[in-house]
Amino acid sequence: MDTFALIVVVGVALIFTYTNGFHDSANAIATSISTRALTPRVALGMAAVMNMAGAFLGSGVAKTVSEGLIATPTGKQGMVILFAALVGAIAWNLISWHYGLPSSSSHALFGGLVGAALAGSSTVHWDGVLTKIVIPMFLSPLIGLVLGYLVMVGILWAFRRANPHRAQRGFRMAQTVSAAGMALGHGLQDAQKTMGVVVMALVIADVQDESDAIPVWVKVSCALMLSLGTYAGGWRIMRTLGRRIIELDPPRGFAAETTAASVLYTASYFFHAPISTTHVITSAIMGVGATRRVSAVRWGVAGSIVRGWFITMPAAGGVAALCYLLVHLVVG
């Protein structure tokens, strides 16, 4: 029974990773597609490969997820908590994808973990939630917004005397690199989040200790599912990011992707903070768009997106808590 529970939880974790991939594929490539720097299928293929590569570049974020947010639950109840957390996250991913809302798969997972842990009377590390989740949730979009604006101002100044057509062509080519960097950062962040949950399941099942390194099969499985989901594409959200916030041109697309990738790498390697790729790229797009003129950004659309960010964790947490109670009634 314990083995069956472990298999179920790992399987649902991989399903979550797949939904994360198609939900968040827009983060890496929406700007490149909207500026016609890359064709959709080429962009998706490149993003899938770079997502897989990024999954192998670190483990700090996975450690934060597996140890820093909730106390590792034990026994059958622990498996039910993880199962319910993943179901809550998957449910919110599908709802937000249906409505084309670029919400955070990461915060859906965090909300699911906290909601299920509370329903199961397990310990929540509120200091870790505050310092690793809540504070970065506010800081990373602000940094993306301001940094995106400054990077774009720098580009406009540096190329103020350049031939416009030649500059546009050059930045369209440069977007191939910046989009790849963004996809690599997405893999670095988001694949590790699922790895952390799978490691928790392995610890609960006494398959490994918390201090052990992440098994290679876990890295490969999470990376592969994230890549497959990315290649499936999330066209509804792609339209929102690529065109509804602002009409991007290649220089602004390059600036937004470069800004977002820089923030992702910094958070992963220096702070081991599991930040949202969605929050960072969306705010960077707003920042670079504001350099055209403040009114060029469709702030109504942006406001709807930001409101979605704030309801993601409680919504996913509520679904996870309900799922825990229902499963707990069934399995005792």
Side-chain angles (χ1 to χ4, degrees):
M1 189 66 184
D2 292 341
T3 302
F4 176 74
L6 176 62
I7 292 172
V8 169
V9 169
V10 171
V12 176
L14 294 179
I15 292 172
F16 165 76
T17 307
Y18 182 85
T19 67
N20 188 346
F22 78 70
H23 187 278
D24 288 3
S25 60
N27 297 343
I29 60 176
T31 54
S32 297
I33 292 175
S34 67
T35 61
R36 295 180 175 82
L38 296 170
T39 63
R41 283 300 162 193
V42 169
L44 285 168
M46 178 273 295
V49 171
M50 298 306 287
N51 270 333
M52 178 172 285
F56 293 92
L57 294 183
S59 59
V61 171
K63 187 176 181 65
T64 296
V65 173
S66 63
E67 300 177 17
L69 304 182
I70 66 173
T72 303
T74 57
K76 181 171 65 176
Q77 182 195 30
M79 288 299 188
V80 174
I81 287 174
L82 293 188
F83 174 80
L86 291 163
V87 169
I90 291 170
W92 182 252
N93 274 354
L94 294 176
I95 291 170
S96 56
W97 168 80
H98 177 74
Y99 289 102
L101 180 66
S103 66
S104 169
S105 294
S106 305
H107 287 84
L109 177 61
F110 306 148
L113 285 170
V114 172
L118 290 174
S121 300
S122 187
T123 301
V124 176
H125 297 315
W126 291 110
D127 55 338
V129 173
L130 177 65
T131 59
K132 296 294 186 180
I133 304 301
V134 176
I135 292 177
M137 184 176 75
F138 285 95
L139 284 182
S140 58
L142 289 175
I143 293 171
L145 181 72
V146 174
L147 190 59
Y149 182 87
L150 294 177
V151 168
M152 192 60 217
V153 168
I155 288 175
L156 290 172
W157 185 86
F159 290 88
R160 65 192 185 281
R161 294 192 179 92
N163 179 283
H165 296 293
R166 187 175 299 172
Q168 290 279 340
R169 187 165 56 249
F171 277 107
R172 188 170 282 118
M173 295 175 62
Q175 268 198 276
T176 304
V177 178
S178 62
M182 180 65 199
L184 191 70
H186 179 240
L188 175 64
Q189 274 278 336
D190 283 29
Q192 285 191 55
K193 292 160 188 170
T194 306
M195 291 179 201
V197 175
V198 173
V199 167
M200 289 180 71
L202 295 176
V203 171
I204 293 171
D206 288 327
V207 175
Q208 74 169 57
D209 295 326
E210 284 187 341
S211 58
D212 292 346
I214 300 174
V216 174
W217 70 266
V218 173
K219 292 185 176 182
V220 172
S221 300
C222 292
L224 182 61
M225 291 303 289
L226 186 68
S227 295
L228 289 174
T230 297
Y231 192 71
W235 300 107
R236 293 172 184 266
I237 296 173
M238 215 170 289
R239 283 192 291 270
T240 300
L241 278 181
R243 297 198 177 275
R244 290 188 62 202
I245 298 174
I246 189 172
E247 293 289 338
L248 290 168
D249 55 16
R252 286 177 172 80
F254 171 82
E257 290 168 341
T258 302
T259 296
S262 300
V263 175
L264 291 175
Y265 297 145
T266 301
S268 298
Y269 287 119
F270 291 98
F271 301 106
H272 298 162
I275 65 172
S276 168
T277 54
T278 305
H279 293 185
V280 175
I281 187 61
T282 306
S283 59
I285 290 173
M286 294 177 194
V288 302
T291 60
R292 182 174 291 164
R293 63 182 186 279
V294 175
S295 60
V297 179
R298 299 184 180 99
W299 295 108
V301 175
S304 298
I305 292 171
V306 173
R307 285 192 292 274
W309 294 351
F310 285 103
I311 67 172
T312 292
M313 285 188 66
V319 174
L322 179 61
C323 180
Y324 173 85
L325 295 174
L326 292 175
V327 175
H328 187 66
L329 286 174
V330 173
V331 302

